[in-house]
Amino acid sequence: MSVGVSLDQQWARIRGRLKEEVGEIAYRSWLQPLSVASLVGGEVCIVVPTRFMRDWVLTHYADRIRALWSGENPEVQSIDVIVASTNPPAALVADNDDIDDDRPAPAPRAAESRSAESRPAPRPAPPPRPSDFGFSAEPAPSTVYTSASYGGASDESPNAIPAILEDRSDLSAALDPRFTFENFVVGKPNELAHAAARRVADATTVTFNPLFLYGGVGLGKTHLMHALAWQIRKNDPNRKVLYLSAEKFMYQFIRALRFKDTMAFKQQFRSVDVLMIDDVQFISGKDSTQEEFFHTFNALVDQNRQVIISADKSPSDLEGMEERLRSRLGWGLVADIHPTTYELRLGILQAKADALQASIPMKVLEFLAHKITSNVRELEGALNRIVAHAELVGRSISLETTQEVLHDLLRANDRRVTIDEIQKRVAEHYNIRVADMHSARRARAVARPRQIAMYLAKQLTARSLPEIGRKFGGRDHTTVMHAVKKVDELRATDPSFAEDVELLRRMLES
């Protein structure tokens, strides 16, 4: 049926309103493909390319479209949405939180039948090509296929592969060969998580289920997850290990919904021996994905299969996660990875330098371990930069070149250096108590760091000598003058001492 000009104009104005209301992304995904077919007896007929899109539009936008159209044309009392295309949707929207994953496909509406009588029957939609979804058309032995395909099986291609599920080796994320237990530097902040991971990896029976690892960004969660997968596969190559991010789990679930093949999705994820989900916080607020993950989790635990999960927070602190799921995640062993200490950062840098076969002065490693405290990734990245700079430019690695190359990481902020900060940093460097800076102890192991702290306070702050003396246990200004003179003398005669003072100064200035 031809569409009248006035009807087209009304639809154009309505589409403009909808675009403003729902935003560009939702509009392109769900509303732009719509077209108007007719207005008969107060009912507007709208055409969509797929049944999946029709169901979504009816659920989420039909009432608003009818209201807008009634405002444009009082004749319009209702709308009907029909399927009239063989082309699958161009893009899959990234988040379908409100989709009921197990609902049956709705029966064809009467409008579809009426419309079918007045136009030639469309050819059945061809199944998706395997190359469209990132895997080969030649099925691997372990690949599982199902009989469902988008838009129905093609009569013209009875042998076409309606592949919804990928080969497990394709679905599982690639493991980094560097991330093994042998390359993991253990310290107090991560010793519990490391010990738990080793126990699970080496156990022949399920010990903790689930094993939940959590910690901040760049502290080693992903390293431990990869190390677990490597070790489990090494101990028993026949065990089916599936490691992927929570984002990919959600993508696979949405694709199963799109192709109406959730049973195959369930079969794939519930037939593994070890399921490893990284960054589970990604599914927070995504209700349907959480629902499916909840049932997958329960099915695996009931079968005594191992589940290993990582996140940036503990289960009880995961916002946007259902209470019952948070409770399940905390069932087994919850192991946290604390922020790194100076000693652990230094150990990581030494191990990394050995792996790079780079000769790096210990003072430079100590400087980096003191200055870059946020996460291990940034620490390793800084080391890679100075090593690459030395190789490419041909300059030796020193404190000066390190500060120059890493100026963006180490540049001074706006705050002023305080005497308290100087005392704390010097005490930490020489492994003494901050209280020793104020005490009357005169042992060289205490007196020398105290003199250095006084010297740095004079160099890096605008405080007067009497003020500095008062901050060091009420000492006289002449004591501060003596300390400054003594440090200057030692710097001129003892290169090792001079390096220590320079290192502390750079750390405090940067």
Side-chain angles (χ1 to χ4, degrees):
M1 175 178 180
S2 63
V3 180
V5 175
S6 60
L7 198 61
D8 274 342
Q9 291 173 341
Q10 293 170 25
W11 178 230
R13 286 193 292 269
I14 291 168
R15 280 162 54 125
R17 291 281 300 279
L18 289 169
K19 185 174 182 180
E20 293 177 359
E21 292 179 8
V22 305
E24 181 69 27
I25 295 176
Y27 174 79
R28 286 203 311 266
S29 299
W30 301 111
L31 300 173
Q32 191 172 28
L34 274 57
S35 60
V36 61
S38 64
L39 171 58
V40 179
E43 182 179 72
V44 171
C45 181
I46 294 176
V47 176
V48 298
T50 68
R51 178 175 294 183
F52 180 81
M53 185 172 289
R54 183 201 65 183
D55 295 343
W56 186 268
V57 170
L58 284 172
T59 302
H60 295 84
Y61 300 113
D63 290 342
R64 184 55 182 159
I65 293 174
R66 182 191 57 76
L68 289 173
W69 217 312
S70 296
E72 285 286 333
N73 186 350
E75 279 185 48
V76 175
Q77 301 299 319
S78 64
I79 68 167
D80 192 19
V81 183
I82 65 172
V83 180
S85 173
T86 63
N87 296 322
L92 176 64
V93 71
D95 185 5
N96 293 285
D97 295 345
D98 299 321
I99 298 175
D100 182 1
D101 56 299
D102 290 322
R103 68 185 178 191
R109 295 167 57 91
E112 288 186 75
S113 301
R114 292 197 306 269
S115 178
E117 294 173 0
S118 61
R119 65 179 188 274
R123 295 174 61 185
R129 295 173 299 171
S131 60
D132 292 339
F133 301 108
F135 52 91
S136 171
E138 293 297 327
S142 60
T143 305
V144 180
Y145 296 110
T146 71
S147 59
S149 65
Y150 193 84
S154 170
D155 293 334
E156 294 182 346
S157 303
N159 297 321
I161 300 174
I164 304 306
L165 291 181
E166 301 175 23
D167 179 5
R168 184 177 292 109
S169 63
D170 291 333
L171 178 59
S172 187
L175 298 177
D176 193 322
R178 299 171 301 168
F179 291 167
T180 62
F181 283 124
E182 291 73 22
N183 294 334
F184 189 82
V185 181
V186 183
K188 289 192 71 65
N190 59 28
E191 60 183 358
L192 173 61
H194 175 264
R198 289 303 301 247
R199 174 70 64 85
V200 169
D202 294 332
T204 55
T205 59
V206 174
T207 50
F208 314 115
N209 214 5
L211 172 61
F212 191 99
L213 306 173
Y214 78 92
V217 175
L219 297 183
K221 301 187 302 297
T222 298
H223 189 144
L224 277 181
M225 293 285 280
H226 284 229
L228 267 161
W230 282 122
Q231 191 67 29
I232 291 172
R233 290 177 175 179
K234 177 182 177 182
N235 292 341
D236 186 356
N238 293 322
R239 292 186 77 183
K240 300 174 183 176
V241 180
L242 180 57
Y243 167 77
L244 72 165
S245 66
E247 180 182 12
K248 189 166 185 180
F249 178 89
M250 187 187 75
Y251 164 75
Q252 292 294 327
F253 175 55
I254 292 175
R255 199 171 73 167
L257 292 178
R258 179 187 178 191
F259 289 95
K260 295 181 173 56
D261 199 8
T262 56
M263 291 307 298
F265 172 88
K266 295 175 191 292
Q267 178 185 357
Q268 183 181 38
F269 279 89
R270 299 180 191 187
S271 64
V272 299
D273 297 309
V274 182
L275 177 63
M276 307 178 69
I277 303 292
D278 207 357
D279 292 324
V280 76
Q281 74 275 359
F282 184 84
I283 64 173
S284 293
K286 299 172 174 61
D287 296 337
S288 291
T289 304
Q290 285 186 42
E291 178 82 13
E292 180 55 39
F293 179 71
F294 174 81
H295 293 304
T296 298
F297 177 92
N298 282 343
L300 290 171
V301 172
D302 289 345
Q303 298 172 54
N304 204 31
R305 310 286 180 86
Q306 181 71 61
V307 180
I308 305 169
I309 297 165
S310 78
D312 61 352
K313 297 178 182 176
S314 69
S316 59
D317 293 332
L318 288 174
E319 299 179 358
M321 199 76 77
E322 293 182 9
E323 179 60 34
R324 60 177 182 171
L325 184 54
R326 289 206 302 266
S327 175
R328 297 298 194 279
L329 294 177
W331 257 0
L333 176 63
V334 177
D336 60 336
I337 303 177
H338 297 285
T340 55
T341 60
Y342 167 76
E343 292 78 13
L344 180 57
R345 290 193 297 272
L346 186 58
I348 292 170
L349 285 170
Q350 289 172 330
K352 180 71 173 176
D354 291 342
L356 293 173
Q357 297 182 343
S359 178
I360 302 174
M362 182 56 67
K363 294 297 181 183
V364 172
L365 297 180
E366 291 173 352
F367 176 72
L368 294 176
H370 269 299
K371 291 306 300 175
I372 303 177
T373 61
S374 56
N375 64 67
V376 176
R377 287 197 196 105
E378 193 171 272
L379 191 67
E380 292 186 354
L383 188 65
N384 287 334
R385 284 172 62 179
I386 63 174
V387 170
H389 179 269
E391 292 178 353
L392 296 173
V393 178
R395 293 174 61 184
S396 60
I397 298 174
S398 64
L399 281 176
E400 289 75 15
T401 58
T402 297
Q403 192 170 37
E404 177 184 332
V405 173
L406 303 178
H407 64 92
D408 56 326
L409 294 177
L410 306 174
R411 62 175 176 266
N413 53 36
D414 294 331
R415 63 177 176 80
R416 295 171 63 94
V417 179
T418 65
I419 294 177
D420 290 339
E421 184 180 2
I422 292 171
Q423 291 175 340
K424 179 181 178 182
R425 186 58 59 87
V426 173
E428 182 184 60
H429 183 76
Y430 286 100
N431 198 26
I432 64 174
R433 299 174 303 163
V434 175
D436 290 331
M437 294 288 175
H438 313 98
S439 72
R441 294 181 59 193
R442 301 175 65 100
R444 177 170 294 185
V446 173
R448 190 71 76 216
R450 189 164 54 219
Q451 288 176 332
I452 293 173
M454 290 181 185
Y455 171 85
L456 292 171
K458 177 67 172 66
Q459 298 295 321
L460 301 178
T461 73
R463 307 293 287 272
S464 65
L465 295 179
E467 288 176 315
I468 294 174
R470 284 194 293 270
K471 294 290 286 185
F472 284 83
R475 285 174 164 78
D476 188 78
H477 74 282
T478 57
T479 304
V480 180
M481 292 175 62
H482 173 73
V484 171
K485 181 179 179 181
K486 185 65 177 177
V487 170
D488 274 333
E489 290 175 354
L490 289 172
R491 287 180 65 218
T493 58
D494 187 341
S496 178
F497 180 84
E499 283 188 10
D500 270 353
V501 175
E502 181 66 12
L503 173 64
L504 287 165
R505 185 184 69 80
R506 287 179 182 275
M507 288 190 298
L508 289 163
E509 283 185 329
S510 299

